[in-house]
Amino acid sequence: MEQILNQTAIPSKLLILIALLQGLALLGLHQTIELDIWPYHHPDWLFALYAVVIGGPLVLLLGLNDTNLKPLFAWTGAYSLILAGLGFYVGRQAQPIADVGEQVLLPGLAITLAIASFKALMYLQQGLAQGSFRHLQYPALFLHSWRNFLTLGLALGFTLSVWLVLMLWAALFDAVGIKFFEALFTSHWFYYPILAMALGLGISLLRRQSTIIDTIVHIQQLLVKWLLVMLVLVSALFLVTLPFTGLEPLWQSGGSTLILWMLALMLFFVNSVYQAETEATVYPRWLHRLIYSGLALMPLYSLVSAYGLYLRVEQYGWSVSRCWAVLIWLLLSLFSLGYFWQILRRRDHWLIGLCKVNVPMGKIVLLAMLLVNSPLLNFLQISADSQMARLEQGKVTISDFDFSYFRHQLAGPGYQALQQIKADYADSHPEVVVRIDALYQLHQDETVVPSAVQLSQVIKGVENTVPEALMTAIVAHLQADTWRLAQNSGYYLKTLDLDGDGQQDYLLIEENDYSPAFTLFYFDQGVWLKQPLDWHNRHQQSSGQDLIEAIKASDFELILPRWKQIRVKDLTLYSTPE
């Protein structure tokens, strides 16, 4: 095993060639976006190609050696097909591309496929090295994982250093009036292949220095071992405190998330400290016992976190973040239960069973990271279906429905759900149609404003016929700000004589999720003019909604200001409420 783990027969020229081809492929994909050609407007194909171009070569760069060329190429080809299929499916969630966009999909896809590739590479390296994927050796898997992680991290640092040197080079020559290098180094056709080759060179050099990487891992172990002791003590004290404080303060401060972070850190520190150890040689015996006693409490934290997640889902339904929280909770809980069982069985020698937990759990993590990009665990669809069910069941009203979340966080499933809401509520709540349409017009180059007929249908409150010229002025006012249309949940027009001149004025109330807007429309010299009104809450005892309801019910009085204004030519001095 040592001979395999200290493999130095690294095909450096081949690795640099692979990196160059990867850079050229990324350049080609970038150019399709620049030139606005296929597959730019087909996010399913674009995502599939990016997943293959990034994921496949990285597996080869980190895993290839002179003894596994053909089998690793074959396995990487098969894995790339999986990446392409998952990328294609995720890309389809960005349709229609003109209305949905792909920004919300990219972080999840990139992170999950990175984790999946990291786990897959670790198993491929060990399986090909020993000629079988059965009975994988945990110490070798551990060393492969840390070597891959640190090699890629340091190689990325080297690539960044190359880029900074190039920018320094360009800046120095630019300072003396030579613009050529700045134009060259910032050109797509230059930095894609150059930086890709720098990454390939960095990986090649670092893989030849495996002993240095192992030394870094050992140093990291020395630093983390005392952090683990602190974390175990903090977690134990926290658990003792809970019976006295109760769980309510924990939920009010995002307690489930904090507990999941604590569990994740404990698992990371445990595996960083003990690494491939099978005996308690890192700590004195008494401290080793203290630590595994603290680890045995992890299932209790899982139960507390599960209760908090259950309350949130029961109260607010599923969202993408809650789906992720439950998946992470499930994975961490399986680790915790596995460690607890080994501690219960073996006590001081529980590290012998560490591989029995980590090896199969690594495969489960790999599978989970792939499934979240498939129809089987489509968090976007799950969230959309959950929130739509809550709307149908009356657990949330249409006025309180979070349209913005569907628009900005749920991509294609959110788009389809909002189109269904438009169809269902077009007659009973026409303002919903205006709001949804406005949400999809925000941040677009060409804004299509709602028609005068649409806007006139959403304004409530006036029984008599509104002057046509007034309605034209109100429509123009609303059409001028798409953002306001996207936030408003209702419109109300109130008649009143605000200046006491005997002529009817109209107060337009715009209800929204943030702060209501009030605009006075008055007739002056043959035209309808508008005047925005600010509202002031002196004692913070009532809300904007209270103000709206009072105005609708005519529960108000008109008062003259106490202080008159002082006007000096074009300057005006006036008082404002405190």
Side-chain angles (χ1 to χ4, degrees):
M1 185 177 69
E2 285 299 321
Q3 183 179 1
I4 294 174
L5 292 178
N6 292 321
Q7 178 63 254
T8 58
I10 308 299
S12 299
K13 294 181 180 179
L14 179 58
L15 295 184
I16 295 175
L17 176 61
I18 292 172
L20 174 60
L21 294 176
Q22 181 189 37
L24 293 175
L26 289 172
L27 173 61
L29 289 174
H30 181 92
Q31 288 302 107
T32 66
I33 299 174
E34 286 286 315
L35 300 176
D36 198 20
I37 59 177
W38 188 92
Y40 175 49
H41 292 293
H42 296 79
D44 41 12
W45 286 104
L46 187 65
F47 277 40
L49 291 173
Y50 263 113
V52 171
V53 168
I54 295 176
L58 279 179
V59 171
L60 294 175
L61 289 173
L62 290 168
L64 271 181
N65 57 54
D66 287 344
T67 64
N68 67 5
L69 288 176
K70 290 184 179 180
L72 188 59
F73 267 106
W75 279 102
T76 301
Y79 179 65
S80 296
L81 290 178
I82 296 175
L83 294 180
L86 297 176
F88 188 88
Y89 177 75
V90 173
R92 291 190 71 84
Q93 309 301 302
Q95 294 178 342
I97 186 65
D99 293 315
V100 175
E102 71 283 353
Q103 294 83 359
V104 69
L105 300 169
L106 288 175
L109 179 66
I111 293 172
T112 54
L113 291 188
I115 296 174
S117 298
F118 175 79
K119 305 299 292 186
L121 173 61
M122 177 179 66
Y123 289 112
L124 279 175
Q125 286 174 302
Q126 179 58 16
L128 295 178
Q130 69 180 30
S132 172
F133 289 94
R134 300 180 63 184
H135 308 298
L136 297 177
Q137 302 176 30
Y138 177 67
L141 286 174
F142 183 91
L143 288 178
H144 281 308
S145 65
W146 276 103
R147 285 182 179 180
N148 293 335
F149 177 75
L150 290 174
T151 297
L152 181 59
L154 293 173
L156 288 172
F158 172 73
T159 305
L160 176 62
S161 299
V162 170
W163 173 249
L164 293 176
V165 170
L166 290 175
M167 291 301 97
L168 176 61
W169 183 346
L172 287 173
F173 279 89
D174 180 65
V176 294
I178 301 176
K179 308 291 185 180
F180 171 77
F181 292 107
E182 181 182 8
L184 174 65
F185 296 158
T186 56
S187 298
H188 301 145
W189 61 267
F190 177 84
Y191 66 72
Y192 269 107
I194 290 299
L195 294 182
M197 290 177 65
L199 179 63
L201 177 61
I203 291 176
S204 175
L205 294 174
L206 289 166
R207 287 186 60 196
R208 288 180 173 275
Q209 305 297 325
S210 59
T211 55
I212 296 178
I213 299 296
D214 294 342
T215 300
I216 296 175
V217 173
H218 181 66
I219 294 173
Q220 169 260 342
Q221 178 192 31
L222 295 176
L223 297 176
V224 171
K225 62 184 295 187
W226 298 114
L227 292 177
L228 176 60
V229 176
M230 292 178 60
L231 187 60
V232 168
L233 290 175
V234 168
S235 63
L237 290 173
F238 175 74
L239 193 62
V240 171
T241 304
L242 282 182
F244 300 97
T245 62
L247 295 176
E248 189 61 31
L250 188 63
W251 307 143
Q252 294 177 356
S253 57
S256 293
T257 303
L258 294 174
I259 291 176
L260 290 178
W261 269 110
M262 184 177 66
L263 286 175
L265 287 174
M266 289 182 71
L267 292 172
F268 176 78
F269 286 172
V270 166
N271 286 278
S272 298
V273 171
Y274 287 110
Q275 300 185 3
E277 298 283 347
T278 58
E279 295 295 337
T281 59
V282 179
Y283 297 104
R285 181 70 62 180
W286 67 272
L287 192 52
H288 173 69
R289 290 175 177 172
L290 175 66
I291 289 174
Y292 75 65
S293 298
L295 296 178
L297 299 175
M298 288 195 297
L300 294 178
Y301 300 119
S302 295
L303 289 176
V304 173
S305 181
Y307 180 65
L309 290 173
Y310 166 78
L311 292 178
R312 300 295 288 183
V313 173
E314 180 67 19
Q315 186 175 5
Y316 300 108
W318 290 99
S319 66
V320 174
S321 60
R322 292 183 198 115
C323 288
W324 272 111
V326 170
L327 176 61
I328 294 172
W329 169 85
L330 177 61
L331 296 175
L332 293 177
S333 296
L334 290 175
F335 272 108
S336 301
L337 289 173
Y339 288 4
F340 173 77
W341 177 245
Q342 294 301 324
I343 292 170
L344 190 65
R345 286 184 60 197
R346 305 176 189 274
R347 307 295 176 102
D348 289 347
H349 305 288
W350 80 277
L351 294 174
I352 298 175
L354 197 62
C355 62
K356 298 182 182 298
V357 178
N358 287 347
V359 173
M361 278 304 304
K363 296 177 182 178
I364 293 175
V365 171
L366 167 60
L367 182 62
M369 293 302 102
L370 297 177
L371 289 180
V372 294
N373 297 300
S374 75
L376 298 177
L377 278 181
N378 186 343
F379 291 162
L380 301 175
Q381 192 64 59
I382 292 172
S383 302
D385 292 343
S386 172
Q387 298 304 321
M388 289 291 287
R390 285 170 51 79
L391 180 62
E392 294 173 2
Q393 296 165 5
K395 294 181 178 180
V396 61
T397 63
I398 190 65
S399 59
D400 295 327
F401 195 76
D402 195 346
F403 299 99
S404 181
Y405 180 76
F406 273 62
R407 165 64 178 92
H408 296 292
Q409 300 297 326
L410 297 186
Y415 176 84
Q416 297 300 329
L418 290 181
Q419 299 312 304
Q420 183 62 47
I421 290 176
K422 285 174 58 178
D424 294 341
Y425 289 88
D427 296 331
S428 60
H429 293 80
E431 68 278 4
V432 168
V433 177
V434 172
R435 186 175 184 182
I436 293 174
D437 288 341
L439 276 170
Y440 282 99
Q441 290 299 320
L442 290 173
H443 313 302
Q444 292 191 5
D445 295 334
E446 297 182 4
T447 300
V448 180
V449 296
S451 66
V453 174
Q454 278 184 295
L455 291 176
S456 62
Q457 292 175 343
V458 305
I459 300 175
K460 301 176 181 179
V462 178
E463 300 295 337
N464 300 325
T465 303
V466 177
E468 182 177 350
L470 170 62
M471 184 56 65
T472 301
I474 293 176
V475 167
H477 165 72
L478 294 176
Q479 289 176 332
D481 192 342
T482 307
W483 185 90
R484 184 168 57 239
L485 291 173
Q487 302 301 323
N488 288 346
S489 58
Y491 305 83
Y492 193 88
L493 195 62
K494 180 73 175 180
T495 58
L496 70 171
D497 183 8
L498 197 58
D499 56 1
D501 64 353
Q503 184 169 289
Q504 199 79 289
D505 303 319
Y506 293 84
L507 178 65
L508 176 66
I509 303 172
E510 300 174 58
E511 303 177 64
N512 57 55
D513 298 334
Y514 299 97
S515 178
F518 302 88
T519 306
L520 178 69
F521 288 85
Y522 61 96
F523 195 72
D524 187 32
Q525 298 181 1
V527 296
W528 285 96
L529 303 176
K530 65 178 182 178
Q531 175 64 43
L533 302 181
D534 294 329
W535 61 285
H536 176 66
N537 187 4
R538 177 175 297 179
H539 300 296
Q540 302 295 324
Q541 294 178 345
S542 58
S543 64
Q545 190 59 41
D546 295 332
L547 177 60
I548 292 174
E549 296 302 324
I551 293 176
K552 288 180 179 180
S554 298
D555 184 16
F556 60 85
E557 60 178 327
L558 302 179
I559 60 174
L560 293 174
R562 178 181 178 182
W563 307 105
K564 295 182 179 180
Q565 298 179 357
I566 300 175
R567 181 173 297 172
V568 181
K569 297 183 179 179
D570 295 332
L571 303 178
T572 302
L573 182 65
Y574 59 93
S575 66
T576 57
E578 296 181 357

